[in-house]
Amino acid sequence: MRVRVKVCGTTSVHDAVLAAEAGADALGFIFAPGSKRRVTPEVARGAGLNVGPVVARVGVFLGQGLDEVLRTAEAARVSTVQLHGPLSALYLSEVARYHPVLRVLRPADLAEPDALEALAQPGVTPMLDAPEPGGGVPLDWAALREVFPPGAWLAGGLGPQNVAQAIRALRPAGVDAVSRLEARPGVKDAAQVQAFVQAAQGATDPSYPQ
Ligand SMILES: O=C(O)c1ccccc1NCC(=O)[C@H](O)[C@H](O)COP(=O)(O)O
């Protein structure tokens, strides 16, 4: 199956439509406090309504309570929830009762047996990301080669110039990016978004020049 492509930090209908038209499989809407890309549930809902029934809308949360996550996800009409930061297995299983979950892990978390154990439940997909999400910092893909969980997604400093190399190195089920796709924080650069999606999808196409 070809790699899925998520374009994160969507803050407007305009940027949602441009990412969807570029071929993105998923759009990220960030609700995490302190993010320079944070949106309200209403903005996320309005943008999501303009991309049709196929593109996934991913609500991104960091350090927020279970009730806030579920209420925000409902109000924003997201199709998937992305969870950053420390959280209990019970919290994760509760969210997974209502939404598919992208559970973000840092490389260091892969050494924690209980972190991986919490993932072993239906509806939860791991995504490897840098310790500081949204920072544009790539991971050490070579160091991850032996421990990268099957079916996991990959984020962290990905862009048009390096995503094919990252895909070839780790064969993630999906890739995600924001910093290198922006003209400025919270505003996408259409050419970068298009180039990112094409480079990612081309990386798994046998006819794509390797
Ligand atoms: O992007 C943010 O501002 C952000 C803030 C707080 C929590 C998560 C955030 N982004 C989540 C994402 O999924 C990013 O796309 C991912 O961390 C990759 O970011 P980048 O390395 O800048 O491409």
Side-chain angles (χ1 to χ4, degrees):
M1 187 166 80
R2 72 165 175 78
V3 64
R4 300 309 177 190
V5 181
K6 171 173 169 267
V7 172
C8 201
T10 310
T11 62
S12 66
V13 172
H14 176 272
D15 283 0
V17 171
L18 85 81
E21 289 181 345
D25 299 289
L27 305 179
F29 296 99
I30 299 172
F31 303 113
S35 170
K36 50 196 171 188
R37 304 167 180 112
R38 189 178 193 188
V39 294
T40 64
E42 293 71 28
V43 166
R45 182 174 185 276
L49 287 173
N50 284 273
V51 296
V54 175
V55 177
R57 286 93 56 215
V58 182
V60 179
F61 300 89
L62 168 64
Q64 294 155 278
L66 180 61
D67 186 59
E68 178 181 352
V69 168
L70 295 178
R71 288 179 185 277
T72 302
E74 174 64 28
R77 299 290 191 276
V78 298
S79 56
T80 303
V81 167
Q82 177 174 316
L83 299 173
H84 292 253
L87 46 86
S88 68
L90 178 61
Y91 178 113
L92 185 59
S93 63
E94 272 300 296
V95 176
R97 287 178 59 204
Y98 299 94
H99 304 282
V101 175
L102 269 176
R103 172 54 173 145
V104 179
L105 298 175
R106 302 158 305 176
D109 294 329
L110 296 179
E112 302 293 329
D114 56 343
L116 292 175
E117 183 187 332
L119 295 176
Q121 57 182 303
V124 177
T125 301
M127 180 162 85
L128 269 294
D129 196 359
E132 293 300 324
V137 178
L139 302 182
D140 183 344
W141 307 323
L144 284 169
R145 198 183 296 270
E146 298 304 316
V147 294
F148 192 77
W153 285 45
L154 178 66
L158 298 177
Q161 306 306 323
N162 66 1
V163 69
Q165 180 189 351
I167 290 170
R168 287 193 293 268
L170 295 173
R171 292 284 182 221
V175 291
D176 163 75
V178 63
S179 296
R180 299 186 186 201
L181 309 184
E182 294 181 318
R184 61 184 183 277
V187 178
K188 290 296 184 293
D189 177 317
Q192 292 301 302
V193 171
Q194 291 155 4
F196 178 66
V197 174
Q198 287 169 11
Q201 292 178 347
T204 50
D205 175 346
S207 63
Y208 186 80
Q210 299 299 323

